[in-house]
Amino acid sequence: MAQSFRLRFDGAPVERAVREAAGRGLYLATEHVLGRSNDVVPLDEAELQRSGVASVDEGTLTGAISYDTPYAVVQHERMDFRHAPGRTAKYLENSLNGARGEVMDLIAAQIRRALR
């Protein structure tokens, strides 16, 4: 005797949960990179450091970290500038490159939690 059954699966709730989790993970990751960057951003009166912001567009799952001063790009790109010990040019680029594994881990952890 054979029995048959039919299974229907609506993946939309799972996809929604994974996207929301990825957005949370991306937010945590951008904040993490911002923190690392703030640890090495050039300091004079800390205006540059205070202008740093992490943001996430959840619709496109795009994260951004920005510094909003007239001299942020110059301070980032000019390798010939002298900075206080522990402070450096390429403060954002180097922080992101150094945190790639941690960024992936933060996002993955949020997705794993959503799938439990």
Side-chain angles (χ1 to χ4, degrees):
M1 178 171 164
Q3 290 188 6
S4 64
F5 61 92
R6 185 175 198 175
L7 176 65
R8 288 180 20 148
F9 176 72
D10 178 8
V14 174
E15 183 178 340
R16 215 172 12 258
V18 169
R19 282 191 66 79
E20 289 172 6
R24 282 191 307 275
L26 186 56
Y27 174 75
L28 293 172
T30 56
E31 286 290 335
H32 176 71
V33 173
L34 176 62
R36 285 183 65 145
S37 181
N38 280 338
D39 288 343
V40 296
V41 71
L43 285 180
D44 186 17
E45 296 176 6
E47 181 180 355
L48 180 57
Q49 185 180 47
R50 283 192 302 271
S51 76
V53 175
S55 60
V56 172
D57 179 337
E58 293 192 18
T60 61
L61 290 177
T62 304
I65 302 158
S66 60
Y67 286 87
D68 186 24
T69 65
Y71 51 86
V73 172
V74 173
Q75 285 288 339
H76 189 270
E77 296 300 320
R78 292 288 303 267
M79 299 296 289
D80 59 321
F81 282 5
R82 290 177 159 219
H83 301 292
R87 303 299 174 155
T88 184
K90 301 292 186 181
Y91 49 91
L92 185 52
E93 182 178 336
N94 291 339
S95 296
L96 176 59
N97 288 336
R100 286 188 186 279
E102 296 160 330
V103 164
M104 298 303 288
D105 290 345
L106 287 164
I107 296 168
Q110 292 300 310
I111 293 172
R112 275 192 305 274
R113 284 189 186 112
L115 294 175
R116 287 186 184 159

